[in-house]
Amino acid sequence: MGAQVFRSAVFLSAGLFALTFALSAEAKPAYSFEVPGVSDDIADAIKGASLTRDAMRSDEETGAQDLFASARADYERIIGVLYARGYYAGSISILLDGREAAGIEPMDAPQTIGRIDIRVLPGPRFTFARAAIGPLAGGTQLPSGYRQGETAGSGTIIAAARAGVDAWREDGHAKAAVRHQQITANHRTETVSSDIVLDPGPEAHFGILHARGNQRLRTERLLEIAGYPTGRRYTPERIEEVRARLRRTGIFSSVTLVEADKLRDGDLLDGDLTVVEERRRRMGAGIEYGSSEGLTLSAYWLHRNLLGGGERLRWDAEISGIGGTTGGTDYSLGVRLDRPATFSPDTSAFVTSTVARTHEEDYTQDAYSVGVGLAHIFNERLSGQVAIQYDWQKVTDDSGDTIYRQISWPSFLLWDNRDNVFDAKRGYYGRVGATPFYGLGDSTGSGMQLTSDLRAYKAFGAEGRFVLAGRAQIGGVFGPSLEKTPRDYLFYSGGGGTVRGQPYQSLGVRVLENGTLKTGGGRFAAFSGEFRAGLTESIGVVAFYDAGYVGTDDYFNDSGEWQSGAGVGLRYATPIGPIRLDLAGPVSGSTGDGAQIYLGIGQAF
């Protein structure tokens, strides 16, 4: 009996101790934060700098030691905010149970804290009595607030010094720096005098690049790809170009390029490059679905450094039309080998080949192509490509078998300043292509295909919650008759890439005397508009309208027809782009009826 009472007393005591400990761990000190005499935006900025405030607002437990450390750190953080906004006579009080945190020695840190009181008196706002800086490079753009009579924020002074140094660097003076600065606050007049003296240093030219970190990539090829502009006048933009060339190869997981601390031989600036190589191989896959197109499965295999010179080998395979109503299942296999830094650091040479079998509703095609070409990066927005290619196709339709053979010169220019390739909210995209071709044999004509794809995006609302997106596609084949034009050069409308709500490639033209053979048209135009709205950070909705035209030999006349479709969609954001689900139906045209469903990754355009 005594032992049982003893055990009960032990359990009761342990329970009370655990309860007391839990309550004390969960309890937070009483807390106040006052910033009198200033506007709400200034008060919010001051409070936003406080680590103590963050800890008090957090749901996580914070011990007395952590609160004490946060309080001591807050003095410097809040002073930084005050100085940045021109308050140089402020006072800060942070009381922990009535004791000023700055006066408590770290070894005497409180074991418990029952109350925290923060009070900040910003005091008067100081203005510039003098705002001097020099010498300045031509065209220097100083902050508009760095002048007499304006608020003398420390951030403005720092921005002025940075602007002066950056302007000299852009003018070729790589080691420009602040030689001397004197900042004096006069508390009697509530003014600040700022004197900044710059040292431009000599005009610099690029020296040599020292590289390390490469293991499989040969050093001479690394330097060729980098394209360090030895001998040319220094500009920061050229350093960024070197970094960009190295990153876009995909060979490296890390690229670090720093300028030498000192100029060599008076005016030569060397560079120190450190790279970390990415894994050589990579695989990927994709999936899309359309109710008329069926299921599309794609995959690729990539080797980033095939021969030790940065060569990029990529295989692409695709099976499409699975379960669709477009004539059958299509297959394609392509390979491309790129060699960066050929002829120039921004020019790549490539060899490419593709084999494909296509089952469309009106014809079946076996195709093969092989080509060589050059791709060039003009700047971070503009790129282009030109190639020479041999194409062979065998087309089987209601008229029998036709063999097309031609030499073509496919080329394009691409402009892209979108903020996000997979989910653009701002910017423009434009791709203009020209493919002259010369027919080999009686069944293939000669001519040119022209194409353009133009897109624009405009975000509005809080944090770009709403987006207007528009797209225009225009194409044409000039020269041969439709019968002598390879099918790959002709145009169709309908499906996820042109007019949603209409079946895939449902709109073409009819040729031959009795008009019974359906084929693609020689003229094409399509227009799409979307309104995108974000409901949450992950979920968004879309409303869209698409229209397309296909004609025989002219735009917008009796030789062609229009079709259109409209619908709504749902988007779910993922790290690789939004998952897209669109439901659309026909609006005009006689090519199909009923709803069409589209599922994929990334926006429709």
Side-chain angles (χ1 to χ4, degrees):
M1 181 67 177
Q4 183 177 359
V5 171
F6 176 77
R7 286 195 298 270
S8 299
V10 169
F11 291 148
L12 178 59
S13 299
L16 290 173
F17 175 80
L19 178 61
T20 303
F21 179 80
L23 290 175
S24 63
E26 292 176 2
K28 285 185 179 290
Y31 166 74
S32 68
F33 199 138
E34 298 179 2
V35 188
V38 294
S39 61
D40 290 343
D41 61 328
I42 299 296
D44 289 342
I46 293 171
K47 293 178 179 180
S50 171
L51 296 177
T52 306
R53 176 177 179 259
D54 291 342
M56 296 302 298
R57 298 176 67 179
S58 173
D59 293 332
E60 299 180 1
E61 295 181 7
T62 305
Q65 292 286 338
D66 292 332
L67 288 174
F68 174 64
S70 297
R72 290 180 62 87
D74 276 353
Y75 291 99
E76 184 176 352
R77 294 173 64 88
I78 294 173
I79 285 174
V81 174
L82 293 174
Y83 283 9
R85 286 158 175 79
Y87 295 97
Y88 295 93
S91 66
I92 304 170
S93 174
I94 304 177
L95 300 179
L96 307 180
D97 290 328
R99 301 170 64 193
E100 192 68 45
I104 303 175
E105 295 295 332
M107 297 300 294
D108 295 329
Q111 298 301 309
T112 60
I113 298 175
R115 183 173 184 83
I116 300 175
D117 296 290
I118 302 176
R119 182 177 176 85
V120 179
L121 298 175
R125 177 176 280 183
F126 285 50
T127 58
F128 283 114
R130 175 177 171 81
I133 183 171
L136 296 175
T140 303
Q141 297 292 324
L142 294 176
S144 59
Y146 190 71
R147 61 188 180 192
Q148 186 176 355
E150 296 291 336
T151 299
S154 61
T156 303
I157 299 173
I158 294 171
R162 183 182 297 117
V165 169
D166 289 347
W168 277 117
R169 284 173 54 83
E170 291 170 2
D171 199 44
H173 298 256
K175 294 306 176 183
V178 175
R179 184 171 65 193
H180 173 73
Q181 60 181 351
Q182 183 173 347
I183 315 297
T184 304
N186 188 323
H187 288 259
R188 182 176 59 82
T189 61
E190 299 175 358
T191 59
V192 169
S193 293
S194 172
D195 288 277
I196 302 173
V197 180
L198 303 178
D199 179 11
E203 184 177 277
H205 294 77
F206 288 102
I208 60 176
L209 181 65
H210 304 279
R212 61 178 178 270
N214 54 303
Q215 297 178 350
R216 295 178 293 271
L217 180 66
R218 299 190 301 274
T219 300
E220 66 271 18
R221 285 294 293 151
L222 173 59
L223 297 177
E224 290 177 4
I225 294 170
Y228 196 73
T230 300
R232 302 185 67 180
R233 187 172 71 91
Y234 170 86
T235 63
E237 290 79 7
R238 291 189 174 122
I239 290 288
E240 289 303 318
E241 288 174 358
V242 174
R243 294 189 180 106
R245 292 187 190 110
L246 294 167
R247 291 188 183 110
R248 67 178 175 240
T249 64
I251 299 173
F252 311 107
S253 61
S254 173
V255 174
T256 304
L257 174 59
V258 297
E259 303 171 7
D261 293 334
K262 297 181 180 179
L263 298 178
R264 177 172 55 84
D265 297 336
D267 70 337
L268 294 180
L269 180 68
D270 293 341
D272 293 307
L273 172 66
T274 303
V275 297
V276 178
E277 293 183 356
E278 185 66 88
R279 290 183 296 178
R280 285 179 291 179
R281 299 172 182 85
R282 182 180 179 181
M283 300 178 64
I287 182 170
E288 288 194 29
Y289 176 78
S291 52
S292 62
E293 294 97 321
L295 186 66
T296 297
L297 302 176
S298 60
Y300 71 87
W301 181 89
L302 174 68
H303 196 302
R304 291 187 172 94
N305 187 21
L306 184 65
L307 304 175
E311 299 85 3
R312 174 189 173 107
L313 177 67
R314 174 167 172 149
W315 290 87
D316 284 275
E318 181 177 283
I319 304 176
S320 60
I322 303 172
T325 60
T326 59
T329 305
D330 305 330
Y331 308 89
S332 68
L333 178 65
V335 60
R336 174 165 167 153
L337 177 65
D338 286 86
R339 182 184 187 272
T342 302
F343 304 123
S344 83
D346 295 310
T347 304
S348 300
F350 64 87
V351 179
T352 182
S353 182
T354 304
V355 293
R357 182 173 180 84
T358 305
H359 294 87
E360 301 296 349
E361 186 175 352
D362 306 300
Y363 67 93
T364 299
Q365 174 178 278
D366 295 306
Y368 168 76
S369 68
V370 60
V372 296
L374 298 172
H376 186 76
I377 306 294
F378 296 97
N379 55 52
E380 62 178 2
R381 302 300 185 192
L382 181 63
S383 61
Q385 181 175 296
V386 62
I388 181 171
Q389 185 169 294
Y390 171 76
D391 301 287
W392 179 93
Q393 301 103 20
K394 177 183 176 182
V395 174
T396 301
D397 55 22
D398 291 343
S399 65
D401 293 339
T402 305
I403 302 295
Y404 296 99
R405 295 182 300 119
Q406 70 271 4
I407 302 294
S408 62
W409 293 266
S411 60
F412 67 82
L413 285 174
L414 175 65
W415 169 269
D416 190 354
N417 70 346
R418 293 173 294 177
D419 58 345
N420 186 310
V421 174
F422 298 104
D423 188 13
K425 297 184 186 315
R426 297 174 178 85
Y428 302 92
Y429 170 96
R431 189 182 191 278
V432 179
T435 305
F437 58 94
Y438 178 77
L440 304 174
D442 295 336
S443 60
T444 310
S446 301
M448 178 182 292
Q449 184 204 55
L450 298 175
T451 60
S452 64
D453 185 354
L454 310 174
R455 310 175 192 180
Y457 307 87
K458 176 66 175 179
F460 59 97
E463 300 181 351
R465 179 181 176 185
F466 305 104
V467 178
L468 291 175
R471 182 183 191 184
Q473 302 176 78
I474 302 176
V477 178
F478 304 89
S481 63
L482 292 182
E483 292 86 347
K484 292 192 174 184
T485 301
R487 288 294 180 95
D488 289 346
Y489 295 162
L490 298 178
F491 301 94
Y492 293 86
S493 178
T498 53
V499 178
R500 289 162 288 181
Q502 298 284 356
Y504 175 69
Q505 290 194 356
S506 56
L507 181 60
V509 299
R510 295 192 176 275
V511 296
L512 300 181
E513 292 182 0
N514 58 7
T516 58
L517 177 60
K518 180 182 176 183
T519 186
R523 303 291 186 272
F524 166 74
F527 305 94
S528 298
E530 286 194 350
F531 174 73
R532 304 170 184 170
L535 302 180
T536 68
E537 290 186 0
S538 300
I539 299 175
V541 293
V542 174
F544 57 86
Y545 178 86
D546 302 335
Y549 169 89
V550 177
T552 302
D553 53 12
D554 203 351
Y555 292 98
F556 316 134
N557 65 7
D558 294 339
S559 72
E561 294 183 43
W562 281 93
Q563 62 175 194
S564 62
V568 295
L570 185 66
R571 303 290 185 266
Y572 180 78
T574 71
I576 59 174
I579 297 175
R580 178 180 79 255
L581 174 62
D582 288 338
L583 176 64
V587 175
S588 67
S590 58
T591 57
D593 53 24
Q596 302 286 326
I597 299 174
Y598 306 91
L599 177 65
I601 297 178
Q603 296 286 3
F605 62 87

